[in-house]
């Protein structure tokens, strides 16, 4: 994977790409938004209002709780989509789990019929955060996507976000019940 050149930051670029993605969704698409670090936060329940979705994405800030708890994010997302016909999560993460294992995340997602598309943000060498060195764990993200019938997308620069979201939108089975995590 090429070096990650996401300016001004991967957090800002991910938010901007998610807003762009929301703008391309067909009318009546339902989206919920969950942010996560050490714990997950429900930022927005499942709705169809694109303006509210974009405003919510704009308002998301980095949390003071560090770490990557992907299992908690998938559980929270699955619970928000419990009444949806189809369930898909778009997980933006470095994939470096410091809570639970990828096998536990896969087991939960498959038991609850949740497709997880993973979007890998970061580098294998890692970068320093306020809490620790954050390294991209592509193997974990690929395993999660593959075992839940999703796809993995490597992000090298901001343009890769658009390609990933466009591909997810075109995926068979539609995107009803998408949960941006």
């Amino acid at each position: 994977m090429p070096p990650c050149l996401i300016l001004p930051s991967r957090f800002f670029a991910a938010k901007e790409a998610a807003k762009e993605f929301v703008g391309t969704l067909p009318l009546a698409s339902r989206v919920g938004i969950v942010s996560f670090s050490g714990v997950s936060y429900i930022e927005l329940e499942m709705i169809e209002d694109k303006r509210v979705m974009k405003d919510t994405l704009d308002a998301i800030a980095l949390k003071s709780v560090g770490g990557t708890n992907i299992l908690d994010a998938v559980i929270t997302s699955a619970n928000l989509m419990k009444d949806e016909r189809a369930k898909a999560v778009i997980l933006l993460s470095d994939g470096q789990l410091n809570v639970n294992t990828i096998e536990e995340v896969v087991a939960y997602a498959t038991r609850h019929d949740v497709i997880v598309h993973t979007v890998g943000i970061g580098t294998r060498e890692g970068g320093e955060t306020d809490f620790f060195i954050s390294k991209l764990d592509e193997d974990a993200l690929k395993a999660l996507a593959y075992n839940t019938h999703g796809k993995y997308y490597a992000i090298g620069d901001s343009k890769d976000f658009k390609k990933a979201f466009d591909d997810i939108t075109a995926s068979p089975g539609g995107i009803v019940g998408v949960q941006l995590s």
Side-chain angles (χ1 to χ4, degrees):
M1 179 177 167
C4 194
L5 304 171
I6 301 174
L7 300 172
S9 72
R10 61 186 185 170
F11 180 73
F12 178 81
K15 286 180 20 169
E16 291 303 305
K19 288 186 336 192
E20 207 173 300
F21 169 70
V22 163
T24 66
L25 292 172
L27 291 175
S29 295
R30 295 175 50 76
V31 171
I33 300 171
V34 172
S35 64
F36 69 100
S37 54
V39 295
S40 62
Y41 300 87
I42 298 171
E43 302 287 352
L44 183 65
E45 300 281 341
M46 301 295 292
I47 65 165
E48 296 176 6
D49 188 326
K50 291 182 182 187
R51 179 75 262 147
V52 173
M53 291 175 207
K54 289 179 180 182
D55 289 346
T56 300
L57 288 164
D58 271 335
I60 294 174
L62 287 172
K63 306 296 190 255
S64 61
V65 179
T68 304
N69 190 342
I70 293 175
L71 179 59
D72 192 46
V74 170
I75 289 170
T76 301
S77 299
N79 288 339
L80 281 179
M81 296 184 293
K82 68 182 180 299
D83 296 327
E84 300 298 324
R85 180 173 46 88
K87 301 171 190 145
V89 171
I90 302 171
L91 181 82
L92 288 76
S93 176
D94 61 15
Q96 185 179 359
L97 283 81
N98 20 22
V99 181
N100 306 105
T101 66
I102 203 64
E103 292 80 13
E104 291 171 298
V105 181
V106 168
Y108 187 89
T110 55
R111 266 195 323 273
H112 292 87
D113 297 317
V114 176
I115 296 168
V116 182
H117 300 287
T118 57
V119 179
I121 309 170
T123 64
R124 288 186 191 117
E125 300 76 36
E128 191 169 336
T129 69
D130 291 339
F131 310 106
F132 55 89
I133 301 295
S134 172
K135 294 182 180 182
L136 179 65
D137 186 345
E138 282 190 298
D139 291 339
L141 293 173
K142 287 177 181 177
L144 177 56
Y146 176 81
N147 288 296
T148 62
H149 306 288
K151 290 185 179 179
Y152 168 72
Y153 302 90
I155 303 299
D157 62 36
S158 295
K159 293 175 193 159
D160 291 336
F161 280 114
K162 179 169 177 19
K163 292 176 196 167
F165 283 131
D166 287 349
D167 190 62
I168 291 167
T169 303
S171 294
I175 49 176
V176 175
V178 168
Q179 184 71 30
L180 297 172
S181 291

